[in-house]
Amino acid sequence: MKIVMMGTGPFAVPTFEALIASEHEVACLFTQPVRSVHRRKSSIPTPMRDVANAHGIAIHDPVSVNTQESRQLLADLQPDLLVVCDYGQILKDFILATATYGGINLHGSILPKYRGAAPVNWAILSGDEETGITVIHMTPKLDGGPCLKVVRTPIGPTETTVELEPRLADLGVSAVLESIEMLLKHGPEGTPGKVQDQSLATKAPRLAKSDADVNWNEPAELIYNKFRAYQPWPGCFTHLEHQGKPPLRIILKEIRLLREPAPEGISPGSVSQVAEDRLYFAAKDGQIVVDSLQPAGKKPMQVADFVHGHHPQVGDRLLSESQLSPQE
């Protein structure tokens, strides 16, 4: 098959490398344009660009793939199949129609659960014990096409997005190659795959920076799941109010879940225990054990160093952004 790869992030890299090493022809890569990092002038190439450059594969990076210019470019290439993964754009029907077999998409969930941009994050956030990958035969509806291959895997009780996502990406390699064989077996007019039950569909929208602000009135397990899900971005932070000083913003770097309730008299959103090398923060029905953190303007540090320098006390308050007064 003559394949056009469409991908941007690291989740697509194992599949891209496997296609290059296969008997199929990878005609080119479509990827997102390189954008500057925040307000800095420097830009970071995507990992997919690195792979394409290493193998001499042409790169196209339209701001929107759904233009007549892109349509003409694809029509001139005459691909048999579009392979899409972690691309960041939704393909319209006239773009899918440029390939003989249309397109397939490698998605990081067991569809129809968690359609959208952040399926791995939302599986962890929801406390799921299992997730997986799905290869779908694409339609213009977001993640709504028939499922060609599904591979399942357990989620570890402490596993973060940083740890789970690469595992899922590797699981997708054989699934994509097998899906291509399914399409070849059925031919361009075939309709392989299992139609999704639309009534079971759930959404996995992009995360926001505001998600990182911890609400200590939530259950401890939910806070812990958010911490796991929000790695590496947007992370989790809170503000520690101590000894009448302005609240100190701290980013939680390493934490654990303690299902045991805080000591009597300690309300959610308070320091519940102080040990030499760890802090305990009270949540709704449990505690979060903090092993390392990062105070505003400082480097990450072990709690032992923080305790030595800041002397937090049991009962110190933990505040969210909404609880800060304007001057703070």
Tab-separated table of all heavy atoms in Angstrom, residues 45 48 156 232 260 286 309:
chain	number	residue	atom	x	y	z
A	45	PRO	N	10.959	21.036	17.398
A	45	PRO	CA	10.417	20.139	16.364
A	45	PRO	C	9.648	18.996	17.001
A	45	PRO	O	9.978	18.545	18.100
A	45	PRO	CB	11.675	19.628	15.655
A	45	PRO	CG	12.747	20.615	16.006
A	45	PRO	CD	12.409	21.124	17.373
A	48	MET	N	7.660	13.406	15.378
A	48	MET	CA	7.353	12.839	14.065
A	48	MET	C	8.228	13.463	12.975
A	48	MET	O	8.637	12.778	12.027
A	48	MET	CB	5.877	13.047	13.748
A	48	MET	CG	4.940	12.231	14.618
A	48	MET	SD	5.053	10.454	14.300
A	48	MET	CE	4.070	10.341	12.789
A	156	GLY	N	-2.267	0.283	35.826
A	156	GLY	CA	-1.715	0.087	37.161
A	156	GLY	C	-2.284	1.095	38.149
A	156	GLY	O	-2.615	2.222	37.771
A	232	PRO	N	2.389	14.843	32.029
A	232	PRO	CA	3.246	15.880	32.603
A	232	PRO	C	2.591	17.258	32.674
A	232	PRO	O	3.177	18.187	33.228
A	232	PRO	CB	4.415	15.907	31.623
A	232	PRO	CG	3.772	15.596	30.300
A	232	PRO	CD	2.692	14.588	30.608
A	260	GLU	N	-6.983	6.543	54.618
A	260	GLU	CA	-7.312	6.775	56.026
A	260	GLU	C	-7.727	8.237	56.239
A	260	GLU	O	-7.040	9.162	55.796
A	260	GLU	CB	-6.081	6.453	56.868
A	260	GLU	CG	-6.237	6.686	58.344
A	260	GLU	CD	-4.939	6.395	59.082
A	260	GLU	OE1	-4.371	5.310	58.843
A	260	GLU	OE2	-4.498	7.251	59.873
A	286	GLY	N	-10.082	11.226	52.902
A	286	GLY	CA	-8.783	10.584	52.953
A	286	GLY	C	-7.705	11.640	52.983
A	286	GLY	O	-7.972	12.828	53.210
A	309	GLY	N	13.033	24.103	55.841
A	309	GLY	CA	13.129	25.522	55.504
A	309	GLY	C	11.884	26.338	55.805
A	309	GLY	O	11.973	27.539	56.084
